[in-house]
Amino acid sequence: MSQAPETGTEAKETVETRGDERVELLRADTNNDGRTDVWVVDTDGDGKADLFQFDTDGDGKVDVTMVDIDEDGQPDEVVDGDGGLPPEQLPPTVQV
């Protein structure tokens, strides 16, 4: 299990995950603004989601992070922000 490191001088809430990987199983744009709003991540390589992140205000950045350490479908920890595990930022998508 890993604990995300703090970066910068400001204290950030961090979460413990099952592993050190970040395999994004799903990215979703729920409000059709061209930016990801939901990230579903596997951190230990077993193919099951154990990290869930949400952009609740549409700015393209993670506002809430939930971790399901035992993968039972119930969040074990919920923190404000990216939990020390920010996703790679992708350029906005264009709908055609």
Side-chain angles (χ1 to χ4, degrees):
M1 293 184 206
S2 70
Q3 176 126 359
E6 288 188 28
T7 58
T9 57
E10 60 191 38
K12 292 184 178 185
E13 291 184 277
T14 60
V15 293
E16 183 178 330
T17 58
R18 290 177 57 91
D20 295 327
E21 299 178 54
R22 183 181 178 94
V23 178
E24 293 186 356
L25 302 174
L26 174 83
R27 280 180 171 243
D29 174 12
T30 61
N31 62 0
N32 293 321
D33 68 352
R35 291 186 282 200
T36 303
D37 302 302
V38 178
W39 296 262
V40 178
V41 180
D42 170 20
T43 66
D44 64 352
D46 67 356
K48 297 177 186 176
D50 50 80
L51 177 69
F52 305 85
Q53 296 177 304
F54 306 91
D55 171 13
T56 60
D57 60 11
D59 67 356
K61 296 180 183 177
V62 177
D63 298 308
V64 176
T65 296
M66 297 186 331
V67 177
D68 182 7
I69 297 232
D70 53 12
E71 295 178 335
D72 66 352
Q74 301 295 317
D76 296 301
E77 186 174 9
V78 179
V79 299
D80 289 332
D82 62 27
L85 300 163
E88 176 185 345
Q89 294 298 315
L90 298 176
T93 58
V94 178
Q95 292 187 356
V96 287

